[in-house]
């Protein structure tokens, strides 16, 4: 005779399910970046502000997508993790632009829920192939989001 183990329910899953049913916003805790599918590129670090790009999607030539897809975050140093500014929910970036944007400095970053990124990325994918190439960031990420004037080495 098999023994049934009790099902373990995570409180965050309950909150997400209720919010989904009610179409309400979900507020969750920011977690340090730790996913293997997601990487972080530091864009700028100053005594007051850290800016980074969270890379979600890598180039997929077979799917006619030769670009990186990133979300760009700005956070004041020392502020609570939930206080941040999203500079871009979804930005399409060339490999060269991503490399030019990368600082070799270390900084503390966080991983935020990717719902806004997924919605914007899905909208980008529905565009005809010819339109996908317009609006691709080819310089640096901070130049593309209009924050380059505040960049400090």
């Amino acid at each position: 005779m098999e023994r049934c183990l009790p099902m373990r329910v995570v409180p965050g899953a309950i909150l997400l399910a209720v919010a989904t049913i009610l179409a309400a916003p979900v507020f969750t805790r920011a977690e340090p970046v730790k996913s293997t599918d997601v990487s972080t590129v530091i864009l700028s670090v100053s005594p007051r502000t850290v800016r980074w790009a969270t890379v979600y999607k890598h180039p997929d030539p077979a799917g006619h997508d030769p670009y990186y897809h990133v979300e760009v975050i700005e956070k004041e140093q020392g502020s609570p993790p939930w206080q941040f500014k999203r500079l871009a929910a979804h930005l399409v970036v060339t490999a060269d632009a991503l490399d030019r944007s990368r600082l070799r400095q270390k900084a503390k970053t966080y991983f935020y829920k990717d719902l806004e990124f997924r919605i914007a990325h899905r909208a980008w994918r529905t565009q005809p192939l010819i339109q996908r190439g317009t609006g691709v960031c080819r310089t640096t990420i901070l130049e593309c989001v209009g924050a380059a004037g505040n960049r400090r080495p």
Side-chain angles (χ1 to χ4, degrees), residues 5-18:
L5 297 175
M7 190 168 132
R8 183 173 170 206
V9 178
V10 179
I14 294 171
L15 174 63
L16 181 59
V18 170

Side-chain angles (χ1 to χ4, degrees), residues 76-147:
E76 295 293 320
Q77 300 229 33
S79 65
W82 60 87
Q83 291 179 355
F84 67 95
K85 183 177 180 183
R86 186 173 277 114
L87 299 178
H90 174 248
L91 187 64
V92 182
V93 182
T94 64
D96 288 339
L98 184 65
D99 194 46
R100 279 193 295 275
S101 301
R102 184 184 313 268
L103 285 185
R104 305 295 179 216
Q105 283 181 272
K106 300 283 185 191
K108 186 172 184 174
T109 62
Y110 294 89
F111 176 76
Y112 296 100
K113 296 292 181 183
D114 65 348
L115 181 62
E116 288 183 30
F117 169 83
R118 286 187 285 146
I119 291 168
H121 180 256
R122 188 176 313 128
W124 179 84
R125 278 193 345 244
T126 62
Q127 294 178 345
L129 285 176
I130 195 97
Q131 289 181 343
R132 288 186 188 183
T134 60
V136 174
C137 180
R138 299 179 192 283
T139 55
T140 68
I141 292 172
L142 291 180
E143 288 174 350
C144 291
V145 296

Side-chain angles (χ1 to χ4, degrees), residues 30-44 50-58 67-75 84-93 98 101-102 107-118 121 141-142 145:
E31 299 290 337
V33 174
K34 60 186 172 192
S35 175
T36 56
D37 293 343
V38 176
S39 62
T40 302
V41 174
I42 303 298
L43 305 173
S44 73
V50 175
R51 292 183 185 107
W52 70 88
T54 304
V55 181
Y56 289 103
K57 300 284 183 182
H58 298 277
Y67 307 113
Y68 287 89
H69 297 266
V70 303
E71 176 182 43
V72 185
I73 303 289
E74 175 181 271
K75 186 178 171 321
F84 67 95
K85 183 177 180 183
R86 186 173 277 114
L87 299 178
H90 174 248
L91 187 64
V92 182
V93 182
L98 184 65
S101 301
R102 184 184 313 268
K108 186 172 184 174
T109 62
Y110 294 89
F111 176 76
Y112 296 100
K113 296 292 181 183
D114 65 348
L115 181 62
E116 288 183 30
F117 169 83
R118 286 187 285 146
H121 180 256
I141 292 172
L142 291 180
V145 296

